[in-house]
Amino acid sequence: MCLSVPSKVVEVREDNTAVVEAFGVKRVVSLDLLQEEVSVGDWVLVHVGFAIQKLQEEYALESLRLFEELLEEEDESSAL
Amino acid sequence: MKAQLFETLRSAEPVKELEVSIKRAVEKFGRLVRIMEFCGGHTHTIVKHGIDQLLEGYVKFVHGPGCPVCVLPMSRVDLAVELARKDDVILCTYGDVLRVPGSNRKSLLDLRAEGKDIRMLYSCLDAIKIALENPDKKVIFFAIGFETTTPQTAVLILKARDFGLKNLFVVSNHVITPAAIQHILNAPELRDYGRVQIDAFIGPGHVSTIIGTKPYEYFAEEFQKPVVISGFEPLDVMQAVYMIVKQLLERRACVENQYVRFVAREGNRKAQRLTAEVFELRKEFEWRGLGKIPYSALKINSKYADFDAEKHFEVQLPPPKEHPACICGKVIRGVAEPTDCKLFGNPCNPSNPLGSCMVSSEGACNAYYKYRRLS
Ligand code: SF4
């Protein structure tokens, strides 16, 4: 029950809910806990029927970049 | 682009590369590194993808108590069962709770088979609809979970108030992560006897989306243990382990955030505000395996007392009866492994759980059963 699932927003509704999709399954989730606005195409983390956080895309990509750098750095240091 | 991001996170290639880097760093450090992953979601990832086996001899994972179903004490399961017995009650809760055995192995599922009205909810807001459709019944939401499910319960109570509902009640079993981590760090097993040494923590990812990374700064500082908040893909966990070993090598102990795609230092302020509006700290709360921990859980505050099932319903319970051979308590404390239990696999398994750790996919016994039985 503690599993949160990254899901894609496919429709934003009037009543502060959204239709989201993850692994091919669509669900209606509440947006009552989100601090930011979301629009179609955004990714959110869904937990027991609520979107609890919007994906910070820049950070996500940044962390992947950092990760790659880290590995390169490792390679260099081990080559010494 | 975003879908691709998640694909990269699940791919095996970078995991291999990290394995080499981690092992090299541990060799430099000079001894086995013991890491507690607090959260059951991480336990699941580690056991499912064999990360513990991959790093065997280098990193020892100590499974922590971060599984809400596992730490729910039997007295609370008995309370749910007792409430569900009442004729005018519809008891609602999240799925896994239904299967947790209470005293004398009685679960909510057994009671449902006897004809009691017990409903499994995906979203707690569904309780509102049930309450509106059943005005002659008392609808009780049996709420469990860490900080990741508490704000949802707060929203439920606020909406129930707005709807003017008089037949909706909540039992709060919401527990607090930092209190449990502090308790583990203060435990005599750790401090005095050195039985379960822990060098560092993998911090909960989803809890941290709500509470942020700030609450852990105290532990890192006070107990000089690195804390790295991690996501739940294998690559996330491997990266977090690498970040931890790096800190140990550099003799640093601070809070780092691997899960930047969803976790901010301040967390989700709106969710925190809603939680604070409806809940207040309990003086103490019992955790399975860990005993009573001060200020480790939340109760509904007096402003919303009308919705507090614990105030509305009189329930007398005999002392709970644990299964004599189940060692969930030890598994939760990290001093025993699921396979140390005589009941593991047979007769205790996910379709016939005898203890709470076998019930949900975040429970250590459940993960070992699913992914470790053959080895
Ligand atoms: S295997 Fe079953 S009985 Fe044994 S500790 Fe785990 S949950 Fe309890």
Side-chain angles (χ1 to χ4, degrees):
Chain A
M1 61 151 284
C2 223
L3 209 70
S4 311
V5 189
S7 315
K8 192 175 170 174
V9 177
V10 293
E11 185 191 332
V12 179
R13 296 183 168 181
E14 292 277 285
D15 57 349
N16 211 27
T17 63
V19 182
V20 301
E21 186 178 343
F23 306 112
V25 180
K26 284 191 184 152
R27 280 183 190 283
V28 178
V29 299
S30 163
L31 300 178
D32 288 329
L33 293 178
L34 274 193
Q35 313 191 83
E36 310 121 301
E37 297 276 308
V38 289
S39 33
V40 172
D42 281 339
W43 283 70
V44 289
L45 194 62
V46 170
H47 201 95
V48 289
F50 286 71
I52 57 169
Q53 197 67 258
K54 187 171 151 183
L55 174 75
Q56 309 293 313
E57 201 185 342
E58 326 80 71
Y59 285 124
L61 296 173
E62 166 87 6
S63 76
L64 279 185
R65 241 195 330 274
L66 274 179
F67 166 71
E68 273 158 18
E69 270 173 29
L70 194 127
L71 285 177
E72 277 164 24
E73 188 186 302
E74 251 307 289
D75 281 348
E76 279 162 26
S77 70
S78 62
L80 293 176
Chain B
M1 190 58 183
K2 293 165 209 173
Q4 189 195 335
L5 166 72
F6 291 109
E7 231 156 71
T8 312
L9 284 168
R10 285 180 194 133
S11 64
E13 238 353 87
V15 169
K16 271 267 136 210
E17 290 179 40
L18 266 176
E19 179 196 343
V20 177
S21 311
I22 291 170
K23 288 186 173 168
R24 205 182 285 145
V26 173
E27 276 161 16
K28 251 189 240 167
F29 183 61
R31 67 164 173 82
L32 179 80
V33 173
R34 293 184 193 80
I35 299 176
M36 173 176 274
E37 82 279 7
F38 180 84
C39 171
H42 288 135
T43 306
H44 184 92
T45 301
I46 289 164
V47 178
K48 177 172 179 189
H49 297 278
I51 295 175
D52 50 344
Q53 293 171 326
L54 199 66
L55 299 176
E56 203 176 341
Y58 292 82
V59 175
K60 166 86 185 144
F61 291 96
V62 181
H63 311 313
C67 154
V69 175
C70 304
V71 296
L72 188 68
M74 197 163 263
S75 55
R76 300 300 278 190
V77 183
D78 291 348
L79 171 66
V81 166
E82 211 41 50
L83 288 170
R85 261 188 228 284
K86 295 182 186 290
D87 282 332
D88 57 345
V89 160
I90 300 176
L91 191 106
C92 309
T93 189
Y94 295 128
D96 285 337
V97 180
L98 259 57
R99 303 197 300 124
V100 186
S103 292
N104 306 312
R105 294 173 60 176
K106 194 107 187 159
S107 69
L108 286 172
L109 213 55
D110 295 327
L111 228 67
R112 192 157 81 171
E114 290 168 18
K116 297 293 174 201
D117 198 344
I118 297 167
R119 316 230 183 143
M120 194 179 116
L121 303 187
Y122 167 64
S123 162
C124 63
L125 294 185
D126 297 341
I128 291 183
K129 198 162 154 253
I130 298 172
L132 288 170
E133 284 169 0
N134 297 277
D136 52 333
K137 294 272 170 125
K138 292 175 172 172
V139 175
I140 302 177
F141 176 59
F142 189 79
I144 84 158
F146 285 87
E147 290 88 337
T148 15
T149 57
T150 315
Q152 289 85 332
T153 308
V155 171
L156 168 69
I157 291 173
L158 292 169
K159 285 200 195 268
R161 181 200 56 185
D162 295 347
F163 273 99
L165 286 176
K166 298 275 176 258
N167 65 330
L168 193 135
F169 306 90
V170 172
V171 180
S172 166
N173 301 286
H174 288 301
V175 280
I176 297 175
T177 304
I181 296 184
Q182 168 142 21
H183 180 82
I184 294 165
L185 284 166
N186 277 323
E189 278 134 337
L190 272 166
R191 290 218 139 172
D192 305 337
Y193 312 128
R195 267 167 70 202
V196 205
Q197 268 188 32
I198 297 170
D199 296 311
F201 285 89
I202 292 180
H206 296 143
V207 161
S208 306
T209 61
I210 306 290
I211 68 173
T213 64
K214 241 166 97 184
Y216 310 100
E217 286 167 9
Y218 164 78
F219 306 112
E221 171 81 26
E222 171 74 15
F223 297 94
Q224 283 298 300
K225 309 269 184 206
V227 179
V228 175
I229 315 295
S230 169
F232 293 84
E233 304 296 343
L235 183 57
D236 289 324
V237 174
M238 289 294 279
Q239 191 176 2
V241 170
Y242 183 70
M243 289 163 81
I244 284 175
V245 182
K246 267 242 138 134
Q247 281 201 38
L248 291 171
L249 259 182
E250 291 162 8
R251 311 245 167 262
R252 288 184 297 127
C254 45
V255 179
E256 288 178 322
N257 182 8
Q258 183 277 337
Y259 202 28
V260 282
R261 61 186 185 277
F262 282 121
V263 174
R265 180 168 181 265
E266 305 297 331
N268 181 335
R269 283 255 175 86
K270 187 175 178 188
Q272 292 167 15
R273 249 195 335 267
L274 289 164
T275 303
E277 167 64 24
V278 175
F279 292 99
E280 65 184 31
L281 281 171
R282 287 181 194 267
K283 279 224 170 60
E284 60 176 22
F285 192 72
E286 194 195 339
W287 294 52
R288 193 186 297 244
L290 302 176
K292 293 203 168 111
I293 307 181
Y295 301 109
S296 64
L298 296 171
K299 64 177 180 191
I300 297 165
N301 67 28
S302 51
K303 226 163 122 186
Y304 298 91
D306 288 350
F307 300 99
D308 191 346
E310 287 178 82
K311 296 223 169 82
H312 189 84
F313 296 90
E314 272 288 328
V315 176
Q316 297 291 341
L317 290 172
K321 268 199 215 125
E322 305 275 347
H323 192 296
C326 168
I327 58 164
C328 272
K330 284 186 169 168
V331 172
I332 290 164
R333 281 201 300 281
V335 297
E337 303 236 320
T339 40
D340 296 333
C341 176
K342 284 199 215 71
L343 307 173
F344 179 79
N346 182 18
C348 181
N349 58 62
S351 21
N352 177 41
L354 297 180
S356 58
C357 304
M358 192 56 94
V359 172
S360 91
S361 64
E362 293 139 57
C365 295
N366 183 292
Y368 273 64
Y369 183 85
K370 278 202 198 118
Y371 306 115
R372 276 305 140 72
R373 216 156 21 108
L374 301 174
S375 52

